[in-house]
Amino acid sequence: MKNIFFRTTSLWASVLYMALGLVLTFWPGMSGTVFCWGIAAALILYAAHSFWYFIKARNLGFTASGTLVIGILCLAFGIFCFSRPYVVLSFLPIALGIMLLVDGIGKMPLAVDALSVYSPYRFWVLISAVLPLILGIVLLVNPFRAAKAAIMFFGISILADGLFELITYIQQRRAEKSEYKDIRSTTFLQ
């Protein structure tokens, strides 16, 4: 049985986070509008993933209302980024801080669940929840004056978030394979 308290992470989402993080870290001077459109596309993809996860969880009989709320917020902000990129650029550090806070807050219930059941993933889930929270707070408390620095900081933040998502995904896959081997060996012995 799969650990229901662990968020099903998407390998592709973590790779997308890391790729976007690398681009933003090493080429922060790109057009602000293109940056906003990239954020909008990532938010809409994340919202679609959240909706898919919500439907999957509901079909299995679990509640995932936090995931649905996060998906709706990401979709709304993604549409706003597409339609009003100049507005987003005017408050870029604050917007990036809020996005990271939303991501971290959305992951906190999963981290609490993982800690409460002593999940083997609890360390990685906790880091993937706390890291965006800390980085979001730093951006909100001390917003950068230059958009270029904010873009680089955001790039580093989502690169780190994507890396921890990938580590968590790998840990989950290893545990599932180990569990499958245990089931096969038990079935074989009977």
Side-chain angles (χ1 to χ4, degrees), residues 106-158:
K107 293 176 184 175
M108 282 310 283
L110 301 166
V112 169
D113 287 344
L115 288 170
S116 69
V117 297
Y118 299 102
S119 168
Y121 321 113
R122 64 186 176 268
F123 175 73
W124 299 111
V125 175
L126 184 63
I127 287 177
S128 78
V130 171
L131 184 66
L133 275 176
I134 292 171
L135 296 172
I137 290 169
V138 167
L139 269 175
L140 289 174
V141 170
N142 186 17
F144 297 107
R145 294 185 189 267
K148 187 175 179 180
I151 290 171
M152 283 181 67
F153 183 78
F154 184 67
I156 292 167
S157 301
I158 64 170

Side-chain angles (χ1 to χ4, degrees), residues 2-21:
K2 292 181 182 177
N3 185 348
I4 60 173
F5 298 107
F6 181 72
R7 183 177 130 199
T8 305
T9 57
S10 167
L11 175 62
W12 298 112
S14 64
V15 170
L16 178 66
Y17 275 11
M18 290 188 302
L20 183 59

Side-chain angles (χ1 to χ4, degrees), residues 4 19 23 27 37 44 59 64 76 99 104 118 128 131 136 150 153 159 182 187-188:
I4 60 173
V23 169
W27 296 284
W37 289 344
I44 291 170
N59 288 340
M99 286 172 42
Y118 299 102
S128 78
L131 184 66
F153 183 78
L159 176 63
D182 291 345
T187 306
F188 179 73

Side-chain angles (χ1 to χ4, degrees), residues 30-37 39 77 80-81 84-96 144-148 150-151:
M30 68 182 181
S31 166
T33 302
V34 173
F35 173 71
C36 285
W37 289 344
I39 288 178
F77 193 62
F80 182 74
C81 284
R84 305 270 192 258
Y86 55 90
V87 175
V88 174
L89 288 172
S90 68
F91 62 91
L92 184 63
I94 294 171
L96 298 178
F144 297 107
R145 294 185 189 267
K148 187 175 179 180
I151 290 171

